[in-house]
Amino acid sequence: MELVAGKVDLYEGTDHVGPPPPGVLRWIDLCSQDAPQLELLRERFDFHPLAIEDCAHHDQRPKLEEYQDHLFLVTQGFACSKDRVETLELHELHGFLGEKFLVTVHLGNIGSLDEVWRRLSRDPRVFERGLDFVYYLIADGIVDDNFPILDTIADELETLEDSILSRPQRKDLARIFELKHHLVAMRKVLSPQRDVLGMLAKRGDARISDRTALYLRDVYDHLVRINESIEANRDLLGNALEAYLSTVGQRTNEIMKALTLMSAVFLPLAFVVGFFGQNFEDLPLLHDWTKSDGLMYVMLTICVATPLTMIYWFKRKGWL
Amino acid sequence: MELVAGKVDLYEGTDHVGPPPPGVLRWIDLCSQDAPQLELLRERFDFHPLAIEDCAHHDQRPKLEEYQDHLFLVTQGFACSKDRVETLELHELHGFLGEKFLVTVHLGNIGSLDEVWRRLSRDPRVFERGLDFVYYLIADGIVDDNFPILDTIADELETLEDSILSRPQRKDLARIFELKHHLVAMRKVLSPQRDVLGMLAKRGDARISDRTALYLRDVYDHLVRINESIEANRDLLGNALEAYLSTVGQRTNEIMKALTLMSAVFLPLAFVVGFFGQNFEDLPLLHDWTKSDGLMYVMLTICVATPLTMIYWFKRKGWL
Amino acid sequence: MELVAGKVDLYEGTDHVGPPPPGVLRWIDLCSQDAPQLELLRERFDFHPLAIEDCAHHDQRPKLEEYQDHLFLVTQGFACSKDRVETLELHELHGFLGEKFLVTVHLGNIGSLDEVWRRLSRDPRVFERGLDFVYYLIADGIVDDNFPILDTIADELETLEDSILSRPQRKDLARIFELKHHLVAMRKVLSPQRDVLGMLAKRGDARISDRTALYLRDVYDHLVRINESIEANRDLLGNALEAYLSTVGQRTNEIMKALTLMSAVFLPLAFVVGFFGQNFEDLPLLHDWTKSDGLMYVMLTICVATPLTMIYWFKRKGWL
Amino acid sequence: MELVAGKVDLYEGTDHVGPPPPGVLRWIDLCSQDAPQLELLRERFDFHPLAIEDCAHHDQRPKLEEYQDHLFLVTQGFACSKDRVETLELHELHGFLGEKFLVTVHLGNIGSLDEVWRRLSRDPRVFERGLDFVYYLIADGIVDDNFPILDTIADELETLEDSILSRPQRKDLARIFELKHHLVAMRKVLSPQRDVLGMLAKRGDARISDRTALYLRDVYDHLVRINESIEANRDLLGNALEAYLSTVGQRTNEIMKALTLMSAVFLPLAFVVGFFGQNFEDLPLLHDWTKSDGLMYVMLTICVATPLTMIYWFKRKGWL
Amino acid sequence: MELVAGKVDLYEGTDHVGPPPPGVLRWIDLCSQDAPQLELLRERFDFHPLAIEDCAHHDQRPKLEEYQDHLFLVTQGFACSKDRVETLELHELHGFLGEKFLVTVHLGNIGSLDEVWRRLSRDPRVFERGLDFVYYLIADGIVDDNFPILDTIADELETLEDSILSRPQRKDLARIFELKHHLVAMRKVLSPQRDVLGMLAKRGDARISDRTALYLRDVYDHLVRINESIEANRDLLGNALEAYLSTVGQRTNEIMKALTLMSAVFLPLAFVVGFFGQNFEDLPLLHDWTKSDGLMYVMLTICVATPLTMIYWFKRKGWL
């Protein structure tokens, strides 16, 4: 068995581009989308032009296409660094899996692919399990990178909910929409990814051994769990938004109560003191009273009694 | 038939770890996730590394995986103590069901499993119905533990609804979101659990006798009912939230009415008394009137008539 | 053909408990959940313990379980008296349908069952159509009892909608939630009931004759219509709630307008009259004017012009 | 071929009620639900009692029931006159389609049926295409009557949306709910109608020739389009409601701003002029000032500066 | 192989209307819906009247109908010029695909069709791949025109979201509803379009070669991605609407706070200064104080202390 140093750039002259000689397994990893190199692949392996075109344009969706002597697989997943959701990044890997060769095409570094590369370098016996197993290792890595992201999102959601129920802030709202954006993006990718792996694990393709199929079923299982987590988190995000809106509504309500109370107490008082501030000087009705203690005590009584009555009435209405 | 004391810890030397001799049925219960013990299981029974890995990491989802000579089953359910939803706890049981052996792995006590254990000790004849029946007894216990939880949630919901429609409070909102959290968690687990038991009851696997399949159909039926209850409760929780929001809105509305009424009554009055509080002393228009009863009675009439008119008008608009 | 008086209580000694002799059809109706009587049934007919256990605990869901020589059927429906939805009541009937016997178990009176009983007493020829036809008659009665309930709900909904669009009241909200509760309860029961009858009508079971299957298809059809009505009513209830909320919001809006208008008119006026109520007595600016008609007319003009301007401006903004 | 004058009322003595003699096709159209006439049909054609019962009770749902020598079809659709949605009316046609006969039962006039009748009178050759083709013509007419209704609804919706976004009014809300009512009613009928025609077009029944099946596929296609339009309109109606609610909310918001601004400007001013309206006559602090220009200019400055500051501050907060 | 100049108008005399002679492939493109020309097509090719009727009425839905010697395909897609969503336009192409002929009927220019025409003129070898490949080229062009539209919508959505979260404006709302309208329209067309191409790619029809089927699978794939994008965008639009509503609500809330604060500060002050503005001149209580500094300082203290207390209290309540 030969492990081809596929991570170097491909050029016309290289011998090891193309299907390997009998009895040899070959994994070629092309970290580029350059037309000449893709063209080289197409010529040597006789890949379908549509598949090569897909490789040239990233941002495909996860899919599985059967061609005569190989499978064409688009595998996608997310990764983020240091558990910060902001750094969410889509990894996309295009793979051609034949019986004797595995060709992977991607752009930029994919941590889990490098991992597999290192493992193969250290322990070439893995190769004996076949190229489908190598593909499993890569896919498993790409899929499992999604778990910490979902955990982080779930943690943030919990913090958000606490913050919303105690004291909702403007930035909570922005955060809710950010998280929802991330979940929409993840679902868009990981839901078809799950279907692809489900098909791969079930369908008894010649290029997938039964032994590997068991392992792919495990990856499928992880994807089911991931998708369920995404759904549950979306559900809870919806909750958080409703909680936010209703807490804000509640707050408006409380402020309204305070305002109404204040107005209720001071508007009548303003009327009372305004009433006795009028310039009717010598009228019989007021004349006698403005000169006497009586009217003043009436006024003072009103000033004290009105607020108390109001407060009592509001308490009975349940507004306080 | 031999009943192995599987609840003790496993160690290298124990004879009874591993497939039993012909004619013997064996149930091993491992209450631990320690790597050496799982490794021991793997060696003796030749379990698949992926299944053993699942056992080492709880928080799987309910599933059913077929291997050559056994089924690997993840069974989950919830339990709570003293009918308090706050104490909700996830029970997770991993089981390997072969024709001659049943290996169960879990962490912490599972009440319904201990129950089965006690029943088997008292009445070993149960063993004669086969290990699939023992698994049924365990699964039945785990599933039925969910009913009282749902009853409690339904009761709380009813109390909540009454409280919301009569006098909505801030803590009702928090309670709604708590209950929804619980329901989301339960659905996430019990909906795949239902599918697992549906498959188990239908599929005519060699390890499940027809007689036991009838019983598993019953557990499946319970899970269908549980899932329907979860959905109905989610639906009603949504209602409760809407009721809460609209009652709060209604209340704001009522307070607004009171405020508007108050302002409507007192703002004109304030104007009137302010008008007569101006310092235009010797003007012909006011001069004659401030000295006369006439103007005063006009003022008093306005002070009485304005609020009455306002109140009448509001009544006609339906705001009172 | 013999019609057994199944409506009496069962006791050990009775001959006619158990499968009838050849050539005889027997219908036993047990209106009780007492353990000894159910035990008696189990012994004589050899029913499955799980089915008997179901009979002992009402509140099952509609289902159809096949056993070797009989079908076990749980049939549910709602009934209410005098077209009042408040009196909604769940009827639950457990039935064992064999080729020669029909055993029905229920709690409390089921009107449509009594009806069938009376019809059989009057016209025993019905018996000749087989016990599956008797079951059809019972199921048909239980199902058709649901139609008047849905009609009542639809009528109430229409009244509610009118009331909401013209003048929404607090009790409308409570009514909406009550109706929704009823619909959730009905859907939870009648949706699986529909599936059960669909299976029964289609599946060509030996215990269901082709002739009766046509009739069961008719019951299935009624259930489909009932479920569609439930869905349509749920939809319209959602509408009614939205209408309620938006009408309340609209109303708040109108009240806000009135308040704003009022404040807009009287706050400036209060300022004006307050301004001329200040105690600057001998200042050149005011001195001359407070003694003259001029300033007073300015003041009066302001008092009239300000509200008019405000009202004009609001009309242009569309707030009036 | 004979075209029977089926549109007259049926009575005992009529010869042409019942299956036609060999070599003759017969279409009988009964515009009544009278029991004796239906009974007559049942006797002569040997129709199933359940189908006859359905004919006696309109308000069935669209369905297709196979009997030994004929199909029983319930076909429904809506029609409205002069493109006014208010006049929406449900047309229901019950049809028995045998190889040699077509019996249609309905209540009231159905325009598209009369149309077919006229066409057959003018051009009896249509009859040569078989009775299934006659049924196609009727169904096609009933289905196509729904298109103008949906167009009208779509037009009204567009008008509504424009009106809502520019100036939402109370009656817009009522209109939204009316339209939704219509759509719910249409979907309830036309969605099962689509399924019925789908089955009819596909299933290769002996009574439907291949040639007619092509035509029925076309009707099915129309129904698919109608149902998609209903869904899209429901979607847009939901939008319109949201737009309404949010525009009303927006408006409340604007009115709030105006109110706040007003209060913000005049409340401080009222305080200022009130402050200088107090009766502290001989105090050193005020004594000197009320007699001097200084204090007055301070007062005037405050009266001008406060509103300006407020307005500037609000502009910066984005409330103006 | 002959390439017929199908883009000219058809008239009776033209030879090349109709099935081509053996060994010749013919593509006829009719850019018209005129009855005589369609009639000509029908006569020469013997197309089904229903298909011809469809051609005469645009605004069909995407569909695939099999006739004896040809497929009838309705293909739809959207195009917009200069990346402005406002210019969205529906392209509809009706195609008859036989083994030897391809007849396309449309109204107005379809850019991607002209493209194919030019390519065929330049490189007639494309014709050798068969007429199904020509159809693929056209369909691919029509489908791919939708991508830039979705990109534009996604871009606008992002701008909208930013604008809404920072400063929501009235026109954002109108924009949201406009975009939703576009998405509803696109989904209504492109979702059945996807199903049509899925069927075409899978079903092994005699008129579609295996080689072309691979290419059609690619178009199907694009349509799946387009539909997923539509769904994701609808989801995010829903978010944007919620964000808009809640930001507006939040804003109302803030304005309420300001209003309440203002009232809270100035209403008590107005009372205080009103109190000391009353005309009780010689009463013992006030008499001594209005002449003394004491009362004035009390007044001044209240005027300063009240607002400060209020502000402190509001801060503690979290309203500031």
Side-chain angles (χ1 to χ4, degrees), chain C residues 47-80:
Chain C
F47 290 151
H48 197 280
L50 283 172
I52 289 294
E53 202 189 301
D54 280 351
C55 290
H57 299 92
H58 270 228
D59 202 22
Q60 303 292 318
R61 62 192 291 276
K63 64 180 171 183
L64 162 62
E65 286 182 355
E66 240 178 309
Y67 290 100
Q68 215 163 351
D69 71 335
H70 63 274
L71 297 173
F72 176 58
L73 291 150
V74 178
T75 313
Q76 292 180 321
F78 289 89
C80 70

Side-chain angles (χ1 to χ4, degrees), chain D residues 90-102:
Chain D
L90 177 65
H91 284 171
E92 181 166 350
L93 181 94
H94 295 216
F96 299 84
L97 176 62
E99 261 170 275
K100 296 285 175 200
F101 60 84
L102 170 66

